Amino acid sequence: QNVAVPRIPESLMRHFTLFVLLANLPMAVLAAEQATVRVATFNVSLYSDEQGGLLRRLQAGDAAAAEVAAVIQKQRPNILVLNEFDYDAGAKSADLFQRRYLGVAQFGQKPIRFNYRYFASANTGIPSGHDLDNDGVVGGANDAYGYGKHPGQYGMLVLSQYPIEKLNVRTFQKFLWKDMPGALAPIRPDGSPWYTAKAWDRFRLSSKSHWDIPISTPLGTLHLLVSHPTPPVFDGVEDRNGRRNHDEIRFWAEYISGADSFWILDDDGARGGLKTGERFVIAGDLNADPADGDGIPGTVVALLEHPRVQRMPTPRSEGGEAAALADAGANLGHRGAHHHDTGNFGPRVGNMRLDYVLPSTGMRVVGSGVFWPPPGQLGAEWLDASDHRMVWVDLQSG
């Protein structure tokens, strides 16, 4: 027997459909708000003293590169800064590393893919034409704009699973140190300038480069502020590297303080810092420990305590503390917590916190860490690839 089914009016059906969509909207919004973005930095020590040397290493099959890739595959960042990755104009080394190392399972880890990257030149190895180290000879690694035996040595590479807004990238590779207000110009013991007037007039602040890379993420546009300041050592009483390290880090503190810093000039001629309200993450090997080492005291603390930088628990590991206790030496006199260390520099120097992922306010930090497993845990055998450790931070909308 057929039973007539009442026909639901079309207008009522439209209202019902709209009700269902609205009922599910809060869950969709919640899901979007709960999207997690992992940002990491890793000084990978993938460099060579010879031009093209890294590419030849990668082509031959490099054990250290495989271990570096294994760490990346295990931690699976969405956005990754690699320091000390030699730059070549054709990006052949970056292509090969992504294809043959990250794209292939390493030590049982799953391959990882980054569809976007930023790879550009650095000041390392570019001749300045001046005797910057005052040894009486012009030329060589110490007289380059950034220490390097060939152009591109110790370069920087950014990998991302989210689109990079390349048209809005700002670089500060050629920004002159003298143009920074209050620049800490090196001084000889007799009070005279370390650099000649001609050298100082052309001296670039950044030993590699400073990059502002906007990335379209589930949290909105995120400005990745990337650099690798010179280590505050390998100089004399003039402290030219210590002073440069201080001002390379201070550049970011000034940059995030507001857009009205007219003295800040990028490589395309645009002036000013980062607009108020923009979200950012400062990432890289800053070569400055908050409590230990040879840097100028307070250099990185001023960045850590900047009002636009997120207050968050310091990333930590178990292996860092174990390594410091095992190495002893200078570690025994360090004031900083060993489980915050991000690099192993042997008993003479000691282990320190040099690598940072510093998110801005306006986001929530839901996780962080330093990849430094103690002996016997998975990944401990990969740590000999570099003297630095990966640092990562997980972010959600605030």
Side-chain angles (χ1 to χ4, degrees), residues 74-94:
K74 186 175 189 309
Q75 295 305 107
R76 310 197 76 77
N78 304 111
I79 299 171
L80 174 63
V81 174
L82 298 181
N83 289 130
E84 295 195 3
F85 190 102
D86 279 3
Y87 171 76
D88 63 271
K92 292 181 179 179
S93 56

Side-chain angles (χ1 to χ4, degrees), residues 14 40 62 65 92 123 133 203 206 246 280 283-284 291 307 353 364 385:
R14 285 200 300 268
D62 190 79
K92 292 181 179 179
N123 285 325
D133 62 355
F203 200 104
S206 183
H246 175 276
F280 62 83
R353 181 189 180 193
R364 289 193 302 132

Side-chain angles (χ1 to χ4, degrees), residues 123 125-128 132 143-147 202-204 206-207 244:
N123 285 325
I126 297 178
S128 70
L132 299 181
D143 290 335
Y145 282 120
Y147 179 88
R202 295 180 56 191
F203 200 104
R204 299 175 182 181
S206 183
S207 54
R244 190 181 192 182

Side-chain angles (χ1 to χ4, degrees), residues 22-259:
L22 291 174
N24 286 310
L25 184 59
M27 295 189 66
V29 172
L30 181 61
E33 290 179 345
Q34 294 303 314
T36 300
V37 174
R38 173 167 290 188
V39 183
T41 189
F42 194 5
N43 181 325
V44 292
S45 298
L46 290 177
Y47 64 86
S48 173
D49 287 343
E50 299 178 357
Q51 187 86 48
L54 175 59
L55 180 59
R56 291 190 289 273
R57 279 178 54 185
L58 296 176
Q59 289 171 334
D62 190 79
E67 291 174 342
V68 164
V71 173
I72 297 169
Q73 289 173 350
K74 186 175 189 309
Q75 295 305 107
R76 310 197 76 77
N78 304 111
I79 299 171
L80 174 63
V81 174
L82 298 181
N83 289 130
E84 295 195 3
F85 190 102
D86 279 3
Y87 171 76
D88 63 271
K92 292 181 179 179
S93 56
D95 284 336
L96 190 58
F97 180 67
Q98 289 187 257
R99 185 176 69 254
R100 190 180 297 181
Y101 293 86
L102 295 179
V104 175
Q106 307 290 348
F107 304 100
Q109 305 304 303
K110 294 181 180 179
I112 187 169
R113 183 179 179 85
F114 297 93
N115 289 326
Y116 309 93
R117 72 169 178 232
Y118 189 81
F119 198 32
S121 63
N123 285 325
T124 45
I126 297 178
S128 70
H130 297 277
D131 182 13
L132 299 181
D133 62 355
N134 283 321
D135 67 350
V137 179
V138 176
N142 279 314
D143 290 335
Y145 282 120
Y147 179 88
K149 296 182 179 179
H150 60 81
Q153 190 177 24
Y154 313 116
M156 305 189 299
L157 171 64
V158 170
L159 302 176
S160 175
Q161 294 178 337
Y162 308 122
I164 293 174
E165 302 173 14
K166 288 193 174 182
L167 293 179
N168 296 320
V169 169
R170 300 183 72 188
T171 67
F172 302 88
Q173 180 184 355
K174 298 178 182 179
F175 177 81
L176 299 177
W177 193 357
K178 71 179 181 65
D179 290 341
M180 170 178 272
L184 295 184
I187 303 296
R188 296 173 184 268
D190 64 3
S192 63
W194 175 263
Y195 299 116
T196 66
K198 288 185 177 180
W200 182 242
D201 194 52
R202 295 180 56 191
F203 200 104
R204 299 175 182 181
L205 170 65
S206 183
S207 54
K208 283 81 178 176
S209 192
H210 283 67
W211 297 340
D212 174 352
I213 304 175
I215 302 176
S216 299
T217 79
L219 310 182
T221 296
L222 199 61
H223 290 260
L224 189 67
L225 307 182
V226 181
S227 62
H228 183 191
T230 189
V233 290
F234 311 120
D235 51 19
V237 293
E238 83 290 344
D239 195 25
R240 65 186 189 276
N241 289 332
R243 288 168 173 249
R244 190 181 192 182
N245 172 273
H246 175 276
D247 280 358
E248 285 194 74
I249 294 172
R250 181 164 69 93
F251 179 88
W252 285 137
E254 301 279 0
Y255 187 73
I256 63 176
S257 292

